[in-house]
Amino acid sequence: MFNVNRQMLTRGALAAAVAISATLFAGFALAQVEGQPTPGGLGLPNMVTPVGLGTQQFYNMVLMPIISFIALFVLGLLVYVSYRFNEQKNPIPSKLTHNTPLEIVWTLIPVLILLFISVPSLRLLAEQVEVPEASVTIKVTGNQWYWSYKYPEDQGGGFGFDQMMKPESELQPGDLRLLSVDNEAVVPVNEVIAVHITSNDVIHAFGVPSFGVRMDAIPGRLNQTWFKIEKEGVYYGQCFFICGKDHAYMPIVIRAVSREKYNEWLAEAKQKFASADSRVRVAAESH
Amino acid sequence: MASSTMAGAHDHPRGLRRFLFSTNHKDIGTLYIILGSVGGVIGFLLSLGMRLELAYPGVQIFPGLAEALQGADPSMALDAGKNLYNVFITVHGVLMIFFMAMPILIGGFGNWFVPIMIGAPDMAFPRLNNISFWLLFASLVLAVISMFVEGAPGMKGFGGGWTFYPPLSSNTGSPGPAMDFVILALHLAGASSILGAINFITTIFNMRAPGMTLHKMPLFVWSMLVTAFLLLLVLPVLAGCVTMLLTDRNFGTMFYDPAGGGDPLLFQHLLWFFGHPEVYIVILPGFGIISQIVSTFSKKPVFGYLGMAYAMVSIGVLGSIVWAHHMYTVGLSLNAQRYFTLATMVIAVPTGIKIFSWIATMWGGSISFRAPMVWAIGFIFVFTMGGITGVVLANASADKQFHEGYYVVAHFHYTLSLGAVFALYAGFYYWFPKMTGYMYSETLAKANFWLLFIGVNVVFFPQHFLGLGGMPRRYIDYPDAYALWNLVSSSGMIFVTLSLVVWFYAIIEAFMKKRLAGANPWGVGATTLEWTLSSPPPFHQFQVLPRITGASR
């Protein structure tokens, strides 16, 4: 009787442990949706552009191991020194104040580590800054407190629209608080998108974490960056420079679709936003 | 200080005259420490407000705060609250840098111990010293007033971050007078620091006791010398930078306005030409303090003294030519980004020399774990943590993922909120017996350490995760995915708050118990000149200049 009970208890505990870890894992896997922040996430988001993947590799494979090692090394030294050379263990201090070879070593080794870091770093930097030939160019303008997008006429566009955050009262199931917007910006997948960025009022910054892209929107300047999304999906970003009271309320949403769908969207959007555009113009003239 | 013996013709004023008109470096140092503590407590309360707000997603406490503090109309409370949050982050930054770290480390410990450590009776220009302090006091008043006058249209206070980038700080973003108050506060603080820097440089170059050569000066004095040079070089740039903003705002100039041919980036370059050396201005005195303490409690001279001194000089020089690493996302050319990446990474080398030399000083020593030493070891660890994330952020390529996000917030709080503050506490407990004559309670000082060490790590370590996940900084509200680590981060404030309470109690307890410290409470390791004087030192020390013959440290 007692035995059976214990067995049952053990089995129950095991089952519970499996269930808990399964839910945790499932929750973790479910929660990791590309393009949006992961609840309780510990690392970089899943990257979907070549630059983003490069950043992820650079951080996860080069920077993170090196800095973790240095932190643990210094911590280890501190612990060892505190243990080995405290006044109980070592009542007579040594007179050691110089050791030229040692000093040369701890100058040179950091130099070598930095050189090692700088090679992939500079390669990635050039990839970020040098914009390749783009098949789609969009112009993004920061405003207090929303983004506007313009699609050029010669690429099938010729319209512009504003992208506003959906207020909490209008959120649909599946929408994300503070991240979902009324008009998503649509771009084709697997094509180089050049983004021209400026601002109408104060400085903003256009940033989409899963693209590895962050670029300031500065009045009077036209900045340029690029991304090539390699996976269809909806990608969320936010304003990354303080721009006044609603800084936290001007998200960015980019939807990557196939070329065919993109062309369809262009045609639809042209209709939809042409009227909106003229309405804005009328309103502006009536001032 | 009442016990000090008065000798010679010098007056020994009392009460209001002693402190208001003070020309005594020790009294002025004390005033700076008090001012810095007041600034620090206000700055801490602001950060407490921020962390309370960020504990949960959504906007909770700031609308109410705006009604209570700024008299906002209830119908406008939500907007006023969002604005007030930005005002809090701005004033928190300004206070912690200009009115907490700098006054205590430079004005406080520098004034107190630079003259004593080099065997001088006082600072070179005692009256200049007085006006330095009172300019800073006036500046603090202006900075606090700015929170209660109009900034952005219909809002009170300037909420654009401590870097004051136009156009948010020009008439486009904040037409009200709040920003003008901030500019004038910066002018006064800058003038105060420039006068102080002139005073330190003159004192260190001309008033060293016979035999105290530059290469025998204690490292704390070296750190103050480098700091003073940095202040003297970069604060005029800040003054010019904000003066142009003042004329843009009030007299129709267009330095930063693209509509008139100006450029907002000019402001950023000028601001960071000041701003990056400024972070070394805050941390270098800390390096000096840690060197003294590690040597004292290991009962060994500092390892690699010359390397340590010139590492600080090279950190000062390098720190002045890397400013644009704060601007990797503004659209700098590829070559500019390459240069600033490499130059910034080089700073890791002298910083590494310092960290390894501190450990080598402890190596072979006979370490006594008194409170200042515990704070110093804590400093070495947390500063290393901040330093290595600095190496990450030095890379323009990696920075594109972290810029203006919480990874950056975690990084600079590990160097400043943990690094500089731990050095400050280390120095405070190290010199408290000297300054007051009373011994603090070892238990309370260590409780203070552990509470703050646990607190700040719980607050700031999870912010690395937030930054990696993509959370932008200066946000009053965040997507729900960031809720977990924000809650953890906010919960650390419980320990931080307790640590402050313990700190105050430790001070009160020391003054009530009146345990006499004696001239040198630290024993054989404490070899700098301040430990040859009584505790507290006489009102005027070194009537006869000491003669330095022994080895340097």
Side-chain angles (χ1 to χ4, degrees):
Chain A
M1 191 66 174
F2 180 68
N3 245 349
V4 170
N5 259 345
R6 204 165 65 175
Q7 225 174 4
M8 274 170 67
L9 271 177
T10 325
R11 210 174 282 166
L14 257 177
V18 168
I20 288 171
S21 54
T23 4
L24 271 180
F25 261 93
F28 201 66
L30 274 180
Q32 256 196 340
V33 179
E34 245 136 28
Q36 44 180 282
T38 310
L42 295 170
L44 289 169
N46 280 343
M47 297 293 186
V48 291
T49 65
V51 166
L53 286 168
T55 310
Q56 193 175 31
Q57 237 174 16
F58 180 41
Y59 186 78
N60 288 350
M61 307 289 185
V62 180
L63 291 172
M64 190 59 194
I66 291 178
I67 65 170
S68 309
F69 172 76
I70 296 172
L72 292 176
F73 179 63
V74 171
L75 181 64
L77 279 177
L78 284 174
V79 170
Y80 175 74
V81 164
S82 304
Y83 165 77
R84 172 71 186 76
F85 299 106
N86 65 47
E87 35 184 16
Q88 283 84 37
K89 280 224 157 113
N90 196 37
I92 315 288
S94 80
K95 292 280 164 242
L96 172 91
T97 59
H98 293 282
N99 187 334
T100 311
L102 187 63
E103 288 176 64
I104 290 173
V105 165
W106 73 43
T107 309
L108 279 185
I109 289 181
V111 171
L112 292 178
I113 293 176
L114 293 173
L115 277 176
F116 178 75
I117 292 176
S118 70
V119 175
S121 170
L122 293 183
R123 198 190 305 132
L124 177 63
L125 179 63
E127 197 183 341
Q128 288 173 336
V129 176
E130 286 166 347
V131 180
E133 181 97 15
S135 57
V136 175
T137 304
I138 55 179
K139 185 181 175 194
V140 180
T141 308
N143 304 276
Q144 279 179 323
W145 289 275
Y146 58 93
W147 297 94
S148 352
Y149 295 76
K150 275 199 175 126
Y151 284 69
E153 191 125 41
D154 59 352
Q155 292 171 352
F159 59 88
F161 57 87
D162 295 336
Q163 189 173 69
M164 307 277 218
M165 187 186 84
K166 271 192 197 170
E168 224 158 308
S169 51
E170 289 171 23
L171 290 181
Q172 308 290 321
D175 281 352
L176 297 171
R177 198 181 69 90
L178 298 184
L179 288 176
S180 291
V181 295
D182 53 357
N183 297 315
E184 294 169 348
V186 179
V187 293
V189 76
N190 285 324
E191 288 184 41
V192 173
I193 318 290
V195 189
H196 292 183
I197 300 169
T198 188
S199 165
N200 262 337
D201 35 53
V202 301
I203 298 174
H204 305 269
F206 177 90
V208 184
S210 39
F211 295 175
V213 161
R214 207 159 290 184
M215 181 57 90
D216 289 2
I218 303 172
R221 295 179 71 94
L222 196 61
N223 276 331
Q224 195 178 203
T225 186
W226 71 284
F227 48 80
K228 188 172 117 187
I229 307 169
E230 290 172 329
K231 201 166 176 189
E232 288 187 31
V234 186
Y235 301 100
Y236 296 88
Q238 287 179 292
C239 177
F240 276 90
F241 199 82
I242 187 167
C243 52
K245 74 177 171 64
D246 284 329
H247 171 44
Y249 303 92
M250 46 183 293
I252 294 158
V253 180
I254 310 253
R255 180 183 287 272
V257 296
S258 65
R259 192 24 121 160
E260 299 77 56
K261 285 222 179 105
Y262 173 67
N263 287 338
E264 281 169 30
W265 176 80
L266 272 182
E268 270 171 41
K270 214 168 174 176
Q271 300 270 309
K272 182 177 167 195
F273 296 120
S275 50
D277 222 24
S278 59
R279 211 166 53 224
V280 171
R281 212 169 293 133
V282 171
E285 276 160 10
S286 69
H287 261 285
Chain B
M1 283 172 218
S3 67
S4 63
T5 49
M6 197 191 82
H10 283 297
D11 192 15
H12 187 163
R14 293 187 183 281
L16 202 61
R17 270 192 63 211
R18 173 170 171 190
F19 285 102
L20 203 56
F21 308 143
S22 181
T23 54
N24 182 292
H25 73 104
K26 294 184 285 288
D27 287 352
I28 292 175
T30 305
L31 288 174
Y32 266 113
I33 292 173
I34 294 169
L35 178 103
S37 307
V38 172
V41 168
I42 303 175
F44 160 76
L45 290 175
L46 296 177
S47 67
L48 188 62
M50 281 140 51
R51 274 321 324 170
L52 281 174
E53 175 61 62
L54 295 174
Y56 295 99
V59 177
Q60 286 99 15
I61 66 161
F62 271 80
L65 270 182
E67 286 181 48
L69 284 179
Q70 297 180 320
D73 189 68
S75 63
M76 289 280 293
L78 182 60
D79 278 347
K82 291 174 185 169
N83 178 71
L84 184 63
Y85 179 82
N86 291 347
V87 172
F88 266 42
I89 61 158
T90 309
V91 180
H92 168 75
V94 171
L95 287 184
M96 287 306 197
I97 296 167
F98 292 99
F99 301 102
M100 188 278 284
M102 286 172 73
I104 297 182
L105 289 168
I106 304 171
F109 297 149
N111 258 312
W112 253 95
F113 294 106
V114 164
I116 298 182
M117 280 181 161
I118 61 173
D122 204 312
M123 294 287 280
F125 306 117
R127 291 182 190 181
L128 209 61
N129 209 359
N130 175 291
I131 198 153
S132 290
F133 174 77
W134 288 109
L135 281 176
L136 193 67
F137 178 76
S139 169
L140 175 61
V141 173
L142 286 180
V144 173
I145 290 177
S146 83
M147 293 177 74
F148 302 99
V149 296
E150 180 161 328
M155 306 284 166
K156 284 182 176 159
F158 172 68
W162 81 274
T163 48
F164 325 111
Y165 286 2
L168 192 55
S169 59
S170 68
N171 288 335
T172 314
S174 359
M179 188 61 211
D180 298 304
F181 274 92
V182 176
I183 292 175
L184 294 174
L186 288 176
H187 276 144
L188 292 186
S192 154
S193 288
I194 291 171
L195 296 180
I198 293 171
N199 214 343
F200 278 117
I201 293 171
T202 315
T203 308
I204 294 171
F205 278 161
N206 296 300
M207 293 178 62
R208 297 193 309 277
M212 176 65 79
T213 61
L214 280 177
H215 284 173
K216 280 186 184 169
M217 289 195 315
L219 283 173
F220 178 65
V221 182
W222 263 105
S223 74
M224 289 303 303
L225 183 65
V226 178
T227 303
F229 266 102
L230 284 178
L231 282 169
L232 195 60
L233 283 172
V234 300
L235 273 167
V237 178
L238 174 71
C241 170
V242 296
T243 304
M244 288 193 277
L245 184 60
L246 190 74
T247 62
D248 268 15
R249 293 173 51 84
N250 297 294
F251 308 117
T253 58
M254 297 269 185
F255 292 111
Y256 307 130
D257 186 352
D263 189 346
L265 283 193
L266 171 64
F267 182 93
Q268 297 189 16
H269 279 290
L270 291 174
L271 189 279
W272 286 115
F273 187 81
F274 147 79
H276 196 71
E278 170 69 23
V279 305
Y280 292 100
I281 287 167
V282 173
I283 201 68
L284 279 172
F287 285 176
I289 293 171
I290 297 303
S291 299
Q292 304 302 139
I293 293 174
V294 167
S295 154
T296 297
F297 294 96
S298 305
K299 308 187 189 82
K300 267 181 72 198
V302 170
F303 184 94
Y305 169 88
L306 279 183
M308 288 291 258
Y310 286 97
M312 286 194 284
V313 175
S314 68
I315 287 173
V317 172
L318 289 170
S320 305
I321 53 171
V322 296
W323 71 91
H325 65 217
H326 297 270
M327 303 165 57
Y328 282 146
T329 61
V330 302
L332 294 175
S333 73
L334 178 56
N335 277 336
Q337 295 191 48
R338 282 176 173 147
Y339 161 74
F340 282 107
T341 295
L342 294 176
T344 305
M345 286 208 292
V346 171
I347 300 185
V349 175
T351 313
I353 292 178
K354 296 210 70 80
I355 287 176
F356 293 129
S357 297
W358 285 322
I359 295 175
T361 307
M362 291 159 68
W363 195 280
S366 175
I367 304 167
S368 68
F369 290 95
R370 307 294 292 270
M373 186 61 178
V374 176
W375 282 100
I377 295 174
F379 167 91
I380 296 173
F381 178 65
V382 293
F383 189 76
T384 305
M385 295 281 293
I388 52 177
T389 51
V391 172
V392 171
L393 294 171
N395 295 284
S397 46
D399 179 76
K400 301 261 179 9
Q401 193 64 28
F402 301 126
H403 201 84
E404 283 292 312
Y406 262 79
Y407 198 88
V408 176
V409 176
H411 156 69
F412 70 75
H413 280 98
Y414 261 90
T415 60
L416 297 179
S417 169
L418 287 78
V421 169
F422 274 49
L424 192 155
Y425 269 115
F428 180 82
Y429 285 113
Y430 183 55
W431 284 316
F432 183 84
K434 179 53 61 184
M435 295 189 288
T436 62
Y438 301 131
M439 203 60 206
Y440 61 81
S441 150
E442 200 70 29
T443 318
L444 288 174
K446 282 178 180 161
N448 186 2
F449 169 81
W450 285 110
L451 284 170
L452 192 67
F453 185 80
I454 294 169
V456 282
N457 278 298
V458 174
V459 171
F460 293 112
F461 199 80
Q463 296 189 359
H464 291 114
F465 305 143
L466 291 173
L468 284 162
M471 178 169 161
R473 68 192 273 215
R474 295 162 169 166
Y475 264 31
I476 187 172
D477 194 4
Y478 47 82
D480 304 339
Y482 302 122
L484 172 65
W485 294 122
N486 269 302
L487 180 61
V488 174
S489 175
S490 290
S491 68
M493 287 305 270
I494 299 167
F495 298 96
V496 178
T497 311
L498 283 176
S499 85
L500 270 181
V501 174
V502 171
W503 177 52
F504 281 124
Y505 180 65
I507 297 173
I508 295 167
E509 196 258 8
F511 276 105
M512 281 172 61
K513 291 278 169 67
K514 297 191 193 306
R515 291 170 294 253
L516 291 182
N520 180 1
W522 306 134
V524 291
T527 56
T528 41
L529 283 174
E530 74 265 36
W531 308 110
T532 63
L533 298 172
S534 60
S535 296
F539 195 67
H540 296 293
Q541 76 272 358
F542 300 136
Q543 307 281 350
V544 177
L545 291 184
R547 209 160 264 286
I548 286 80
T549 50
S552 61
R553 354 203 53 228

